[in-house]
Amino acid sequence: MAGGATLLVCGAPNQTPISASRYHRTMRTPLMAGNWKMFKTPAETTEFFEKFVPLVAKADHAEIAICPPFINIPAAVAGAKGSKVTIGGQNCYWVNKEGAFTGEVNAPMLKAAGCTWVIIGHSERRQFFGETDATVFQRTTAALEAGIKPIVCVGELLAERESGQTNEVLKTQFMGGIAPLTPEQFAQVVIAYEPVWAIGTGKVATPEIAQDAHRVIRSLAGEKFGAEAAAAVLILYGGSVKPDNVAGLMAQPDIDGALVGGASLKPEDFAGVVNFQ
Ligand code: 13P
């Protein structure tokens, strides 16, 4: 988020500093999004919003989103009314026409319920529910067609990082799930980099490790969609973001916000993340 200033921090000639970004941040407004996963009841949702909304009333520097379980969306929408907090789903089916798909919720339903966003391809869906890059693409296009903004998640497993495959994994996920979008569709997408080893483990990626991955993702976006689109796309970091580590992450030039699990469940903690500056 620190603009292009880091380009001036030069090391040896011809050596690109780790935090350097080729894409200067011009108009990227940060997005701080909470992913509640399978936590809270409707009553607990109402209680959260009563406490949370006043705590972020002055947060003009960022967009704020909460993605609760489907069952809590009405309570969340009601709780966020009159505030700048927006609401999202955690998944959507890839068929937008209603039909016989037991257990599924589609993007037009999310839209009708008052959602702005939907998380697509979270690593827990990839790991436990058979999500693939192909279904990520299908869900993403369905969301876009319904007027819902997708937050598309990518990220490597610990074993993949340890065996030096991180960039390859990010490329595969980007090429399969995001690259087939049209430029117009891509302009509506938010990407979230969530290294699986940092999710729910308390092991946050260092700002340098996260920045490195974000730079790779932005470069992929540049190769596919051009420099302007790459400079405009929001790339969030997710994985053990807390009030005490968010500022270091947000200081990186290619980190445009956070996708927060555990710390989004408590109003004070998530407000601490949102109000990072
Ligand atoms: P934690 O913040 O609990 O590590 O979860 C991150 C995440 O998966 C957000 O989508």
Side-chain angles (χ1 to χ4, degrees):
M1 293 299 306
T6 45
L7 284 169
L8 299 172
V9 187
C10 290
N14 303 324
Q15 196 181 327
T16 310
I18 194 162
S19 60
S21 174
R22 285 197 291 138
Y23 300 106
H24 292 238
R25 186 169 67 84
T26 45
M27 56 202 171
R28 301 200 296 269
T29 301
L31 170 63
M32 311 308 269
N35 172 11
W36 279 5
K37 309 192 179 186
M38 200 177 73
F39 286 87
K40 294 193 190 292
T41 62
E44 288 165 348
T45 302
T46 301
E47 204 181 320
F48 174 95
F49 276 85
E50 279 168 6
K51 291 191 184 138
F52 178 67
V53 164
L55 297 176
V56 294
K58 293 195 181 121
D60 292 329
H61 59 285
E63 286 194 82
I64 307 166
I66 299 274
C67 302
F70 293 133
I71 191 77
N72 296 334
I73 287 172
V77 169
K81 198 162 181 230
S83 80
K84 65 169 292 177
V85 182
T86 51
I87 306 302
Q90 296 174 15
N91 189 23
C92 67
Y93 192 43
W94 55 74
V95 174
N96 278 350
K97 192 169 174 292
E98 60 188 351
F101 301 106
T102 302
E104 292 301 311
V105 170
N106 69 12
M109 291 171 175
L110 293 179
K111 181 83 179 169
C115 288
T116 306
W117 312 94
V118 63
I119 298 170
I120 307 271
H122 190 279
S123 66
E124 286 147 19
R125 301 230 46 101
R126 292 177 189 260
Q127 281 183 291
F128 308 135
F129 302 102
E131 193 78 70
T132 65
D133 295 329
T135 56
V136 166
F137 172 67
Q138 286 181 283
R139 293 185 207 277
T140 300
T141 49
L144 289 165
E145 277 160 22
I148 295 275
K149 289 188 186 175
I151 302 173
V152 182
C153 303
V154 296
E156 80 287 359
L157 303 169
L158 180 60
E160 291 166 338
R161 172 159 288 273
E162 287 180 339
S163 58
Q165 294 177 75
T166 299
N167 292 359
E168 202 48 46
V169 169
L170 295 177
K171 184 171 184 181
T172 302
Q173 292 175 341
F174 183 90
M175 294 315 286
I178 300 171
L181 296 170
T182 66
E184 294 72 28
Q185 289 173 325
F186 180 73
Q188 299 297 315
V189 166
V190 172
I191 301 173
Y193 169 63
E194 298 208 309
V196 179
W197 47 271
I199 294 177
T201 59
K203 285 186 202 158
V204 64
T206 63
E208 292 74 22
I209 287 176
Q211 163 57 24
D212 232 13
H214 282 233
R215 190 183 51 190
V216 167
I217 295 165
R218 203 176 298 283
S219 295
L220 291 165
E223 282 164 31
K224 172 68 192 167
F225 295 104
E228 209 173 306
V233 68
L234 285 188
I235 308 179
L236 315 183
Y237 168 80
S240 297
V241 175
K242 304 274 183 283
D244 64 1
N245 60 28
V246 63
L249 292 159
M250 291 301 290
Q252 298 300 315
D254 285 304
I255 299 183
D256 305 318
L259 184 54
V260 186
S264 73
L265 294 170
K266 287 197 186 145
E268 303 77 14
D269 287 354
F270 194 45
V273 170
V274 169
N275 299 320
F276 67 93
Q277 56 178 25

